[in-house]
Amino acid sequence: MHDRLTHYMPLDTADIERDWDTPVVDAGIAAKASIIARVGLLDLRAGTGSFRIRELMHRIGYPLGVHVRANINLTDMGVSCSDGVSRITQVVDLPTTGVNTERIWLLEHFADWFSVNIGAPATTYHAQTAVSQAMVQELDNPDAERSVLRATQKAHHEIERRKRVREKAVRRAKKRGFQPPKGQYAQHFEHIGKTREDMAAEAAGKAATESAAEATASSTADSAAQSPAKKPSRGITVRQAHERLNLIQHRKPLYAPWFSAIASAVACACFVFLLGGGPFDMIGAFVGAGIGHWVRRRMFIHHLNQFFVTFVAVAVAAFACVGTLRLIGIFDPVALRHDTAYIGAMLFVIPGFPLITGGLDIAKMDLPSGIQRLVYTLALILMATLAGWMVAAIVHLSPQGFEPLGLNPWVTGALRVLCAFGGVWGFSVLFNSPQRMCFTAAIIGAITDTLRLTIVDFGMPPEAAAFLGAMLAGLLASVWRSSVRHGFLPPYLGYPRICLTVPSIVIMVPGLYMYRAMFYLGQFDTANALDWAFRAFMVILCLPIGLAMARVITDKAWRYDV
């Protein structure tokens, strides 16, 4: 292959290069499998769950007549592809894992673009495939987002304008007493309200289709007479498919380290308020999380071990938070009593994506992948809480929770909406979501997290509230996606559900519970350590169950075991 992947077991390159400029539908099993496996590998690198990776590879393989079987783990997968005659198996692996919601989104568009260009009858991401076409074809354009949005907005407005014109003409005709015919003459009624440009475009398209069909038939007959083995060109080639995947693979992160640091600071400061913290706690968390995440991004550039990076970043964040509060304490001694603030400064390392996708994989009976993701999540959390506990031991901190703020309930509710919005926006930026996706997830998170905290105030157990909040987030994401598909929202606002739901419920993860469990464990207070650990476990358990329940309600593929 011309674009070799690190940690990728190469196929027989002669098989692929032989079909490099051949239409995908006419290529051999090796070339088809190279596209299918590469799509799955890129989706795995983006951090999504195994069920979504299988679904995406199936969407690529099914129109090609290829049956795909995959065994997917956290950082590796084995993919077997068969076209009924030949079978080929590939093994691919990654050195580490991460999260990139923009890549998940673009791969969804790639699947639609691929289906359209090989003549597949339907797509699953948008009702209008022009959006997916524009998204993929404009990836190599520096101003891709703006150009795609302009094109899709213009197309959407034009479709709506023509629809209004036709509906107005129909109403006018009915008002004059004209009744639409039925039966075999009903099709003539469709022409009412169409402009000359519409009818001319339809006629030109029909003529072009007929001419293309005649030309194809003629060229096929001539080529068959001259060279019976030669096939007519159909759809995109193997080279074109891989070139589009190259654009998705080599896209740089959307945000510079400094901007991600600001987003991390905003997210953790908002997170602290939702946990019950006050202004001093928020200031300390803002400074600590911003510096800590900036250090983490800079260390990741050098491909350092992920667990080592997590430990260092959390330690830096905790020291920065404590130092900020000590500095403020010189002028206002009240700041010195806020020992719990440094816990909020380390919440940016919460591995929300593998935590939620691991639970969803288990719900889909993919136990190996789900268990691996949950163990990976537990390892990161243990490394982060260990670093925080060591900092607390060094500077003699004794976090006992946040002091009550005593605010009016209406003021508290309004501030919760604002902070939930800011927190989800910040985490979405950390997941490399485009800004429109960030704001969409933030709207969902502001609704669901405010509702969760409110019903907890009225006496509902936090575990049940977490379940309801996660389920509501899943339902809202499904409603948003359906609104796009049915034309109620512009097509460019359609996003994969996982890119909206996970950022919106990450802020519900009980980071404070998990840290307090580790803190008491370090003090050899096993009773309190187990108490807080089980509280955290129950909340964490309810989050993916809530999302899975929302998918069962809205998705037939989840509702039935087939």
Side-chain angles (χ1 to χ4, degrees), residues 53-102:
I53 298 172
R54 287 193 181 91
E55 182 182 70
L56 188 64
M57 290 193 295
H58 178 74
R59 287 173 57 188
I60 300 296
Y62 182 78
L64 300 177
V66 176
H67 183 68
V68 182
R69 298 283 295 178
N71 180 27
I72 302 172
N73 297 311
L74 177 64
T75 58
D76 65 88
M77 65 180 183
V79 184
S80 295
C81 300
S82 173
D83 59 1
V85 177
S86 303
R87 179 183 292 113
I88 190 167
T89 299
Q90 304 174 72
V91 178
V92 295
D93 59 43
L94 300 171
T96 185
T97 186
V99 179
N100 189 337
T101 51
E102 187 207 29

Side-chain angles (χ1 to χ4, degrees), residues 423-440:
V424 176
W425 174 84
F427 279 114
S428 296
V429 170
L430 299 188
F431 295 152
N432 199 51
S433 298
Q435 280 300 306
R436 286 178 176 81
M437 190 187 297
C438 293
F439 285 119
T440 304

Side-chain angles (χ1 to χ4, degrees), residues 280 325 328-339 403:
F280 286 121
L325 292 177
I328 296 175
I330 298 175
F331 307 97
D332 190 347
V334 176
L336 299 176
R337 298 201 302 265
H338 292 263
D339 284 348
E403 298 179 1

Side-chain angles (χ1 to χ4, degrees), residues 245-477:
L245 290 175
N246 287 345
L247 295 175
I248 295 175
Q249 178 188 346
H250 297 302
R251 280 181 69 83
K252 295 180 180 179
L254 294 175
Y255 308 107
W258 67 267
F259 189 87
S260 294
I262 292 176
S264 173
V266 171
C268 290
C270 293
F271 208 153
V272 164
F273 177 82
L274 296 175
L275 292 174
F280 286 121
D281 302 301
M282 296 176 67
I283 292 173
F286 183 92
V287 175
I291 296 175
H293 183 72
W294 183 85
V295 170
R296 183 170 71 156
R297 277 289 301 268
R298 299 303 302 177
M299 294 179 72
F300 274 145
I301 293 176
H302 300 287
H303 305 286
L304 296 174
N305 180 271
Q306 188 170 164
F307 296 101
F308 171 72
V309 170
T310 299
F311 185 91
V312 173
V314 168
V316 170
F319 277 122
C321 175
V322 173
T324 300
L325 292 177
R326 296 286 170 87
L327 182 62
I328 296 175
I330 298 175
F331 307 97
D332 190 347
V334 176
L336 299 176
R337 298 201 302 265
H338 292 263
D339 284 348
T340 313
Y342 78 97
I343 300 176
M346 50 189 271
L347 295 178
F348 64 93
V349 299
I350 290 179
F353 234 88
L355 174 65
I356 302 303
T357 54
L360 293 176
D361 283 345
I362 291 177
K364 290 291 287 183
M365 298 301 293
D366 192 343
L367 299 181
S369 176
I371 292 173
Q372 287 186 24
R373 291 176 184 277
L374 294 182
V375 171
Y376 163 75
T377 299
L378 179 61
L380 274 182
I381 291 174
L382 287 175
M383 187 62 66
T385 53
L386 179 62
W389 171 76
M390 291 182 63
V391 171
I394 292 172
V395 297
H396 306 289
L397 297 176
S398 180
Q400 299 298 324
F402 298 106
E403 298 179 1
L405 297 178
L407 299 176
N408 180 280
W410 291 102
V411 175
T412 301
L415 291 176
R416 281 175 174 174
V417 172
L418 182 63
C419 288
F421 183 94
V424 176
W425 174 84
F427 279 114
S428 296
V429 170
L430 299 188
F431 295 152
N432 199 51
S433 298
Q435 280 300 306
R436 286 178 176 81
M437 190 187 297
C438 293
F439 285 119
T440 304
I443 292 172
I444 295 175
I447 296 171
T448 56
D449 200 57
T450 302
L451 175 66
R452 176 184 69 91
L453 294 172
T454 302
I455 59 180
V456 168
D457 290 343
F458 280 97
M460 178 173 285
E463 300 81 11
F467 169 81
L468 292 177
M471 186 173 68
L472 179 59
L475 293 175
L476 290 177

Side-chain angles (χ1 to χ4, degrees), residues 220-250:
T220 302
D222 293 341
S223 60
Q226 297 175 2
S227 176
K230 189 176 181 181
K231 296 181 179 180
S233 177
R234 296 191 296 161
I236 58 175
T237 64
V238 176
R239 179 193 300 273
Q240 291 171 324
H242 278 292
E243 286 175 349
R244 293 299 168 185
L245 290 175
N246 287 345
L247 295 175
I248 295 175
Q249 178 188 346
H250 297 302

Side-chain angles (χ1 to χ4, degrees), residues 131-253:
V131 181
S132 296
Q133 289 267 27
M135 283 295 300
V136 179
Q137 291 172 354
E138 293 288 339
L139 282 177
D140 52 351
N141 183 354
D143 299 323
E145 184 177 3
R146 287 195 294 271
S147 62
V148 170
L149 289 178
R150 284 196 298 267
T152 53
Q153 285 176 331
K154 184 177 180 181
H156 180 72
H157 292 327
E158 181 64 17
I159 291 171
E160 291 298 320
R161 184 190 68 80
R162 294 186 179 187
K163 184 178 179 181
R164 288 194 299 269
V165 170
R166 293 179 188 179
E167 290 176 349
K168 185 176 180 181
V170 170
R171 288 196 300 269
R172 189 184 301 114
K174 288 182 178 180
K175 190 175 182 180
R176 293 176 181 175
F178 178 78
Q179 295 296 327
K182 299 180 180 180
Q184 61 178 329
Y185 300 103
Q187 59 181 340
H188 299 292
F189 188 66
E190 297 177 359
H191 293 288
I192 294 180
K194 288 186 179 181
T195 63
R196 293 180 179 178
E197 291 81 2
D198 294 336
M199 291 185 284
E202 291 180 0
K206 184 177 180 180
T209 302
E210 293 175 352
S211 300
E214 293 176 359
T216 301
S218 176
S219 62
T220 302
D222 293 341
S223 60
Q226 297 175 2
S227 176
K230 189 176 181 181
K231 296 181 179 180
S233 177
R234 296 191 296 161
I236 58 175
T237 64
V238 176
R239 179 193 300 273
Q240 291 171 324
H242 278 292
E243 286 175 349
R244 293 299 168 185
L245 290 175
N246 287 345
L247 295 175
I248 295 175
Q249 178 188 346
H250 297 302
R251 280 181 69 83
K252 295 180 180 179

